[in-house]
Amino acid sequence: IDEAITAYHTAISINPALPSTHNNIGNLFMQLGQNDQAIQSYRRAITLDANSAQSHTNLGNALQVVGAFDKALASYQRALSIDPYFLKAHSDVGTLFFKLNKINEAIVMLEIAFSIKSDDPYITDSIGLAYYLIDDFLLMVMTILRLLRSAFSI
């Protein structure tokens, strides 16, 4: 990862106005647990391209890791205002709502994600878990059946 970061720093020195480079180095910083540097990189990417749903979502994830939940939610909402069908943003908002113990809100976001990509086992599994957490076992079983239908095309 250190070599990749060095390469991205070189790329930034050559062309500092390329938002994807800042976004990608932010991803590397996240992998290393260097969350503050990741946040700075994502913010720089957004400054260069305010309409990048990916950069807003990545910023939301970094903010979520450092416990800035309100700012994370705002970042995800900005991503979804740019691209209402951005699967990762819906899924990550669902994850944030899980952390905040807002299970019904998590279900709403995950169901939207499911409507975008119905064959994603993480999303379906998360929906099933959410129904379990609110003691709605019928909907939990129905969600598991959706997952099985999707996985086995039945």
Side-chain angles (χ1 to χ4, degrees):
I1 291 180
D2 290 333
E3 289 177 18
I5 289 175
T6 300
Y8 277 115
H9 279 301
T10 301
I12 289 170
S13 69
I14 294 168
N15 184 0
L18 191 61
S20 61
T21 307
H22 294 278
N23 184 69
N24 293 340
I25 200 170
N27 293 340
L28 294 173
F29 286 137
M30 284 293 292
Q31 288 180 22
L32 292 172
Q34 297 174 4
N35 303 316
D36 290 336
Q37 287 180 287
I39 290 168
Q40 288 176 349
S41 296
Y42 295 137
R43 285 188 171 144
R44 179 69 181 139
I46 290 166
T47 298
L48 296 168
D49 180 5
N51 291 316
S52 170
Q54 181 69 55
S55 293
H56 284 282
T57 300
N58 289 343
L59 176 59
N61 291 336
L63 291 166
Q64 188 177 155
V65 167
V66 300
F69 299 127
D70 290 340
K71 290 179 181 178
L73 182 58
S75 196
Y76 294 138
Q77 289 171 331
R78 177 67 181 125
L80 291 170
S81 74
I82 294 165
D83 183 355
Y85 299 100
F86 192 54
L87 177 68
K88 181 127 177 66
H90 285 289
S91 176
D92 293 347
V93 172
T95 300
L96 173 61
F97 284 144
F98 266 118
K99 282 185 179 179
L100 298 175
N101 202 31
K102 295 182 177 184
I103 306 304
N104 290 319
E105 290 91 336
I107 291 170
V108 169
M109 295 309 296
L110 293 167
E111 287 286 359
I112 293 169
F114 180 83
S115 73
I116 296 168
K117 185 168 175 36
S118 62
D119 63 345
D120 187 316
Y122 169 78
I123 293 169
T124 310
D125 185 55
S126 296
I127 295 168
L129 173 62
Y131 285 128
Y132 172 80
L133 291 172
I134 62 169
D135 295 327
D136 194 330
F137 300 111
L138 177 60
L139 285 175
M140 180 191 76
V141 169
M142 290 174 61
T143 301
I144 292 168
L145 289 174
R146 281 196 301 193
L147 176 62
L148 292 172
R149 275 191 217 108
S150 175
F152 297 105
S153 301
I154 53 175

